[in-house]
C-alpha cells in the first residue's frame, strides 16, 4: 500500500512537472509572442516586392545571359538586380556582378540562386535544378525550354524543373 502511495505521488509529481507553470507563461508569453511576429511582418515587406518584379526581369535576364555565355550582359543584369534590391539579395547580386570571369560569376550566381529559389515566384516561372554543377545547383527561370546558367552552351539543357 505504501508503494502505491509513493508511486502515485511520483506520477502526480511527474505530470505536474510536464504541465506549464501558472506563473511563468504570463511573464514569458508576451515577450515570446511579438518576437516571431516581428520578423514575419518584416519579411513579407522585403521579400514579395522583389520576388515578383525583380525575379521576372533582372534575375532571369542574368540567368539567361549566363546560359548564353554572355559575361557582359550577365554583369549588367546582376548590377541592375543589385541596384533594385536590398539586404542579402543585393549583397549576393553585387558579389556575382563583381566576379572576375564567367566561371566565378556562375559560382556567385549559385549563392544568389539559393536565395532566389526560396522566394515567391511569378506564375510563369519555375525552379530548375542541375545535379552536375558543383554538388547540384538550382535557379529560377521562365517555364518552357531549360537554359542552364551554370554550364551555358556546353550543357545548355542539363537539369530539370523541380516545381
Amino acid at each position: 500500500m505504501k508503494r502505491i502511495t509513493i508511486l502515485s505521488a511520483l506520477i502526480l509529481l511527474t505530470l505536474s512537472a510536464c504541465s506549464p507553470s501558472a506563473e511563468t507563461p504570463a511573464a514569458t508569453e508576451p515577450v515570446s509572442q511579438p518576437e516571431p511576429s516581428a520578423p514575419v511582418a518584416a519579411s513579407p515587406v522585403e521579400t514579395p516586392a522583389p520576388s515578383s518584379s525583380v525575379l521576372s526581369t533582372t534575375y532571369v535576364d542574368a540567368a539567361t545571359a549566363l546560359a548564353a555565355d554572355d559575361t557582359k550582359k550577365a554583369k549588367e543584369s546582376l548590377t541592375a538586380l543589385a541596384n533594385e534590391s536590398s539586404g542579402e539579395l543585393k549583397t549576393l547580386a553585387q558579389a556575382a556582378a563583381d566576379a572576375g570571369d564567367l566561371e566565378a560569376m556562375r559560382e556567385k550566381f549559385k549563392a544568389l540562386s539559393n536565395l532566389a529559389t526560396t522566394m515567391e515566384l511569378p506564375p510563369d516561372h519555375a525552379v530548375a535544378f542541375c545535379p552536375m554543377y558543383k554538388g547540384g545547383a538550382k535557379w529560377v527561370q521562365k517555364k518552357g525550354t531549360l537554359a542552364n546558367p551554370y554550364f551555358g552552351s556546353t550543357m545548355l539543357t542539363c537539369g530539370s524543373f523541380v516545381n
Side-chain angles (χ1 to χ4, degrees):
M1 190 68 164
K2 199 174 195 182
R3 284 186 188 196
I4 293 175
T5 307
I6 293 173
L7 186 57
S8 296
L10 286 175
I11 291 173
L12 195 56
L13 182 61
T14 302
L15 290 176
S16 67
C18 294
S19 67
S21 168
E23 44 203 64
T24 52
T28 58
E29 281 193 36
V31 174
S32 300
Q33 208 78 0
E35 201 170 355
S37 61
V40 171
S43 181
V45 171
E46 186 176 325
T47 303
S51 67
S52 299
S53 61
V54 174
L55 284 184
S56 66
T57 55
T58 52
Y59 171 89
V60 172
D61 287 347
T64 302
L66 290 170
D69 302 323
D70 187 342
T71 307
K72 182 180 176 191
K73 174 75 171 138
K75 183 177 184 70
E76 290 170 2
S77 298
L78 289 164
T79 300
L81 177 59
N83 291 337
E84 296 171 5
S85 304
S86 62
E88 187 178 10
L89 187 64
K90 179 181 186 77
T91 302
L92 293 171
Q94 192 62 58
D98 292 342
D101 60 18
L102 188 59
E103 184 53 38
M105 192 176 287
R106 286 178 168 146
E107 196 166 317
K108 299 291 184 181
F109 185 76
K110 180 179 179 181
L112 173 63
S113 293
N114 284 339
L115 176 62
T117 58
T118 65
M119 299 171 80
E120 182 181 336
L121 304 180
D124 59 338
H125 289 65
V127 174
F129 177 73
C130 173
M132 297 181 70
Y133 184 77
K134 300 191 178 195
K138 293 180 181 181
W139 72 95
V140 176
Q141 73 166 61
K142 285 190 174 184
K143 294 176 181 176
T145 305
L146 200 68
N148 187 321
Y150 300 109
F151 287 113
S153 62
T154 307
M155 295 186 343
L156 187 60
T157 59
C158 179
S160 60
F161 289 105
V162 294
N163 73 342

